[in-house]
Amino acid sequence: MNETMELPPFFDPARAGEWSYRPDAAGLRAAAEARRGRLKRVEGGRTDLLLVDLQRDFCLPEGALYVGGRSGRGAVEDTARIAAFIHRNLGAIDRIVPTFDTHTPLQIFHRSFWIDADGTPPPPFTLISEEILAGGALLPSPGVMALLPPEVAAQGLAWVERQLLHYVRSLARQGRNVLIVWPDHCLIGSEGHAMPGLIQEAWLFHALLRGAATPAIVKGDDPWSESYSAFGAEVPDRWDGGRLVKPQDDAALHDLLGADRIVVAGQASSHCVRWSVDDLLARMRALDPALPRRVYILRDGMSAVVGLDAAGRPIPELDFTPQADEAFARWAELGAHIVETTVPMADWPR
């Protein structure tokens, strides 16, 4: 691989945490045209950069579900490093493939889906277990009835209650994250759904400079299941054996598998990155146990979800750093490479 490129003059990492920052598309086009003749493309196969859920609600402190990690600065610092990594490696990255968590208010992980015995929605970060549902501490809100599949609508609340028990039991059986009521986040059409400005700037500059395709993966819009992974729902099936969540379109995954190298960054290492990489590696291993060696995880390009108390200390039951650390170790055992944004790609393991 060639030497990394110098950072462009418009790049300002100090703007990584600014909600209001917007890239200058016209200026980026002019900069790309001026720089195109100096771009040296790396030969030797296609390199895709998979950016998992780099969206304002996750990446910026004002966001609805900011991923600050234990330091409180996690996603902001990650954003600056990822953007710099893109600019330094414009000749080596053939495609940037972002995923977008895409939600509406009435989904199983949002407050509008639930009420307590008094008819009040639960507060954010409420953990929903089988014991809570079986004891009647939380119930589906009346609006959920409108989401029922037509073939079971006549069964009403009884069907929904059985489905919700099936859901939390399935999560436990599969070793997935417990169901959590998250703050409303990444609502489609909202500012929080968009990329942070520094990432959008790097993404646009790459596309303009290289004339590159800009595929994107939209996920998470089904009301009946969480979709941490970019490649499938947490619990797609019904308690009665049918399918509840619409089948995932595998076209994006098949397209990604055509890359010779897949570099991964995004938010959060404990949730959406974790399950996306797990699904990616599982599909690779099913095809060829050696394929995970094509995957490179940017460890300093992601942070874990950590809930902090008023004093800024991690809340143990909301600190998912151990889950992220376990994932890094497991991915390495499967053959994926754990790398850093600051190490030149030419020095990465082949």
Side-chain angles (χ1 to χ4, degrees):
M1 291 186 180
N2 68 314
E3 294 182 1
T4 57
M5 298 182 70
E6 72 276 10
L7 293 171
F10 59 79
F11 172 66
D12 183 0
R15 313 202 77 162
E18 291 184 19
W19 185 276
S20 61
Y21 184 58
R22 302 289 191 278
D24 174 9
L28 290 175
R29 187 178 299 278
E33 291 172 355
R35 200 175 189 187
R36 192 168 291 127
R38 293 185 287 139
L39 177 69
K40 295 181 180 179
R41 301 196 182 205
V42 174
E43 304 299 330
R46 191 180 96 205
T47 296
D48 284 356
L49 173 60
L50 177 65
L51 298 180
V52 179
D53 295 2
L54 287 180
Q55 297 165 262
R56 291 183 184 180
D57 269 348
F58 298 130
C59 296
L60 300 175
E62 298 95 330
L65 196 48
Y66 171 58
V67 182
R70 287 179 172 173
S71 72
R73 293 286 297 169
V76 170
E77 295 173 351
D78 298 335
T79 291
R81 285 189 289 261
I82 294 166
F85 172 81
I86 293 171
H87 288 304
R88 289 195 185 100
N89 295 284
L90 292 165
I93 300 169
D94 295 290
R95 303 192 316 166
I96 297 176
V97 184
T99 76
F100 289 91
D101 217 22
T102 303
H103 300 318
T104 58
L106 195 61
Q107 293 192 258
I108 196 169
F109 44 81
H110 278 160
R111 298 182 69 209
S112 299
F113 196 96
W114 301 95
I115 55 174
D116 62 18
D118 297 325
T120 304
F125 302 109
T126 296
L127 305 179
I128 302 180
S129 64
E130 179 178 351
E131 290 72 25
I132 286 175
L133 294 182
L138 283 178
L139 302 167
S141 69
V144 173
M145 300 303 108
L147 304 176
L148 284 172
E151 66 273 16
V152 301
Q155 299 181 50
L157 182 61
W159 191 94
V160 175
E161 289 177 340
R162 291 194 67 173
Q163 178 61 29
L164 296 177
L165 279 170
H166 166 75
Y167 189 91
V168 296
R169 288 167 178 165
S170 295
L171 291 177
R173 186 172 60 251
Q174 298 175 67
R176 311 292 276 195
N177 293 325
V178 66
L179 177 59
I180 297 178
V181 177
W182 297 112
D184 289 358
H185 65 284
C186 294
L187 298 177
I188 189 168
S190 71
E191 289 187 344
H193 185 264
M195 289 176 170
L198 208 68
I199 295 296
Q200 186 185 30
E201 180 179 75
W203 176 61
L204 287 172
F205 188 60
H206 174 270
L208 292 167
L209 180 64
R210 296 198 48 144
T214 54
I217 299 172
V218 175
K219 70 180 187 69
D221 58 347
D222 197 284
W224 290 102
S225 178
E226 301 153 293
S227 293
Y228 294 122
S229 172
F231 309 116
E234 296 291 283
V235 181
D237 61 321
R238 302 178 350 188
W239 65 267
D240 58 8
R243 186 178 182 94
L244 184 59
V245 176
K246 62 182 181 294
Q248 183 80 14
D249 182 2
D250 275 350
L253 178 56
H254 286 306
D255 186 36
L256 199 63
L257 290 173
D260 297 278
R261 285 168 299 279
I262 303 171
V263 184
V264 185
Q267 301 301 343
S269 57
S270 55
H271 287 74
C272 294
V273 174
R274 178 187 175 197
W275 296 118
S276 295
V277 172
D278 278 355
D279 284 352
L280 175 64
L281 295 182
R283 185 65 64 91
M284 285 180 144
R285 285 171 56 80
L287 296 172
D288 182 345
L291 284 180
R293 291 201 290 268
R294 296 185 180 186
V295 177
Y296 296 79
I297 313 295
L298 293 174
R299 182 159 194 157
D300 60 342
M302 56 190 69
S303 294
V305 170
V306 180
L308 303 177
D309 62 20
R313 296 169 301 199
I315 301 169
E317 62 268 26
L318 294 177
D319 183 354
F320 292 90
T321 305
Q323 287 88 332
D325 291 341
E326 180 275 331
F328 286 122
R330 181 162 38 79
W331 296 335
E333 290 179 0
L334 293 174
H337 308 284
I338 312 301
V339 295
E340 303 286 328
T341 60
T342 53
V343 176
M345 292 179 69
D347 296 335
W348 288 0
R350 295 297 179 95

